[in-house]
Amino acid sequence: MKERNILDILGNAEEDTMEFLTEKCPEITDAELDALIDATEKKYKTKKKAKDGTEKDNNINMTENEVSGVEHSRRPAWLAPLLTAASIVLTAGVVLGSVMLLNRHGHNGGGIEQPAVTATTTSVTAAVSTIATSAGTATGTAAMSTATTQTVTAAETTAETTVYTTVPFVAPAAEKLYVDNELGSIALELFKKDDEVRYYPMGGGIECDIHDGIKFAADPELDIWCIDYSVEGDSYPAVHDIAYYCHVTDSKFSSLEEIKNYARRTMSENRYEQFFGGKMAKDIDNLEYMDTIDKEHTKFWIEYRGKLYELAYVGGWGKLPSVFSDFYPVIIADKTDTSYTAYIPLWYIQVEDINNCICVELKLILDPEFNDWRVDNVEQFDGKHYEELYNMLKG
């Protein structure tokens, strides 16, 4: 079976290769792409300003034929690495943005069934997880692409209800808005947890030993690409129609049931099914190394001979770091005995003005199985909607 080293893929990016890469890259929203580009541009301008200031302080005067000054310019030791870091981040932002843009207007990867995520954002990290990680224990192996592409109709585009979702924002009545510190804290903590957990079936956040793995021949109908960590060396090949599974070594999980219970402590049953449904398989202990594993059992997680494994799918995952402000409260609305809605202001990378935030609409329900609050739905809207609610709250 022909193997493709990931460095070769990047070095020979022709049309078929770009199609392969864009299929396997994570989706990113326009808002998150803008946030990434804005952040890298700010870093670049800051470092450039520091550089220009340093040169000015050293009294460097240049003419067409000569350079004069008291002494040769000597930049501070800290300036070079900061400028280098800024350029790397800026370059990464441009490259990632280009690939994500191609992906957004193209199509998703084949293979494992993708999460049916409806109107839920997906992120790209400021330090994106590598397609081929270093040896040893890795947090988050290479993963599936992360969301099902949404089709925006002309009417929805014209309405411009939000840049984050095709679901229109519906503001609650002003008299139903209030601040409740206890409910707000519950909502914020559950949102942070949900933001972590929903990346699990996309390959993010669960520790695995990439070299303690099992490899099967995958059903060709899956058109699956994996990273083969069984190959010795500094880099690992991407292999087609091979399912390579890494042993999950995360202390939180030793079985499929433990993953389910962990997720259900944050998500409602419906939301759990949305992200985790159909991602787990048992009853494959009769298979030997490189036997063919059928479509029914080629899931993201498998239990195999008493051990838990995660698929090393070619792709990527990640998210921009989310930050919150103590100044702007979580706004509560539509509270009943079994449900309520929370509106949370969120920023990427750093807190800025209220009009630059993202308005997170978090629906919570009292789960009868646990008799406790669970996240049932998350939407992200333009920050102007949180500002609208905040002003309504202030009267």
Side-chain angles (χ1 to χ4, degrees):
M1 184 162 295
K2 186 177 180 180
E3 299 176 346
R4 298 174 69 178
N5 187 289
I6 195 63
L7 297 179
D8 294 334
I9 293 175
L10 293 173
N12 299 282
E14 298 179 358
E15 288 186 8
D16 62 330
T17 302
M18 289 308 298
E19 180 179 354
F20 166 76
L21 284 174
T22 55
E23 283 180 347
K24 309 307 176 185
C25 281
E27 293 287 332
I28 181 172
T29 64
D30 292 329
E32 289 171 322
L33 180 57
D34 290 342
L36 180 60
I37 293 174
D38 287 345
T40 54
E41 183 180 12
K42 288 178 182 177
K43 288 179 181 293
Y44 172 78
K45 287 180 178 178
T46 300
K47 307 307 177 291
K48 186 177 185 299
K49 184 177 180 181
K51 169 182 175 294
D52 293 342
T54 301
E55 292 182 346
K56 182 178 180 181
D57 291 342
N58 284 327
N59 193 26
I60 301 174
N61 299 312
M62 296 186 180
T63 67
E64 183 177 357
N65 299 315
E66 66 178 359
V67 178
S68 63
V70 176
E71 62 179 12
H72 291 293
S73 171
R74 294 199 304 167
R75 297 177 184 175
W78 52 263
L79 185 57
L82 281 180
L83 286 171
T84 301
S87 64
I88 290 173
V89 173
L90 184 61
T91 302
V94 173
V95 172
L96 283 169
S98 301
V99 176
M100 304 309 172
L101 189 63
L102 285 171
N103 192 27
R104 192 186 309 137
H105 296 292
H107 51 83
N108 282 331
I112 299 296
E113 178 186 359
Q114 304 298 312
V117 182
T118 304
T120 301
T121 62
T122 306
S123 313
V124 57
T125 179
V128 177
S129 66
T130 55
I131 292 182
T133 59
S134 59
T137 301
T139 300
T141 58
M144 297 178 292
S145 59
T146 53
T148 301
T149 303
Q150 294 294 308
T151 300
V152 183
T153 66
E156 289 167 332
T157 303
T158 303
E160 294 185 14
T161 56
T162 175
V163 296
Y164 302 99
T165 174
T166 57
V167 177
F169 179 81
V170 180
E175 62 271 15
K176 293 185 177 181
L177 298 176
Y178 64 100
V179 173
D180 184 302
N181 291 334
E182 181 179 358
L183 292 178
S185 295
I186 292 172
L188 184 57
E189 291 307 310
L190 281 175
F191 172 72
K192 292 177 181 178
K193 196 69 175 177
D194 181 86
D195 210 32
E196 168 202 348
V197 170
R198 70 188 178 91
Y199 278 92
Y200 284 175
M202 305 168 197
I206 296 181
E207 292 182 356
C208 297
D209 183 348
I210 60 176
H211 295 304
D212 182 7
I214 186 69
K215 186 163 60 173
F216 301 107
D219 187 331
E221 289 186 14
L222 291 169
D223 189 27
I224 191 173
W225 285 87
C226 279
I227 298 173
D228 188 352
Y229 290 112
S230 66
V231 177
E232 295 183 2
D234 295 330
S235 61
Y236 307 97
V239 290
H240 192 214
D241 293 339
I242 295 291
Y244 183 89
Y245 284 90
C246 304
H247 177 211
V248 173
T249 56
D250 199 302
S251 60
K252 299 188 296 293
F253 311 112
S254 61
S255 68
L256 298 176
E257 191 65 24
E258 287 183 356
I259 294 179
K260 177 180 179 180
N261 290 338
Y262 189 86
R264 283 287 282 118
R265 287 196 289 270
T266 298
M267 298 177 165
S268 68
E269 184 175 2
N270 287 337
R271 188 164 177 80
Y272 169 84
E273 286 298 325
Q274 179 185 7
F275 285 91
F276 288 78
K279 302 297 186 296
M280 303 178 180
K282 296 182 180 180
D283 305 325
I284 56 173
D285 289 354
N286 61 315
L287 292 181
E288 300 295 337
Y289 190 83
M290 282 305 294
D291 279 354
T292 300
I293 185 171
D294 60 24
K295 186 175 181 179
E296 180 183 354
H297 291 94
T298 310
K299 304 298 183 181
F300 190 71
W301 290 291
I302 60 171
E303 278 187 25
Y304 178 72
R305 299 183 180 178
K307 295 170 70 174
L308 179 64
Y309 291 86
E310 181 177 289
L311 188 67
Y313 198 87
V314 169
W317 72 274
K319 61 185 297 298
L320 290 171
S322 302
V323 292
F324 307 87
S325 171
D326 293 332
F327 185 80
Y328 297 108
V330 176
I331 299 175
I332 307 301
D334 301 324
K335 173 72 169 65
T336 71
D337 291 339
T338 58
S339 66
Y340 71 94
T341 303
Y343 295 93
I344 303 171
L346 173 152
W347 292 261
Y348 290 121
I349 303 174
Q350 63 184 14
V351 174
E352 298 180 359
D353 296 335
I354 186 174
N355 58 340
N356 288 329
C357 76
I358 293 169
C359 178
V360 177
E361 182 184 74
L362 194 70
K363 301 283 188 180
L364 299 108
I365 64 169
L366 191 64
D367 195 302
E369 184 176 339
F370 297 88
N371 193 33
D372 202 357
W373 296 108
R374 295 290 183 265
V375 176
D376 193 50
N377 191 53
V378 179
E379 304 286 359
Q380 294 191 7
F381 298 100
D382 194 283
K384 65 183 180 183
H385 297 301
Y386 178 85
E387 186 177 18
E388 173 190 351
L389 299 179
Y390 182 73
N391 291 333
M392 289 168 61
L393 190 65
K394 291 171 60 180

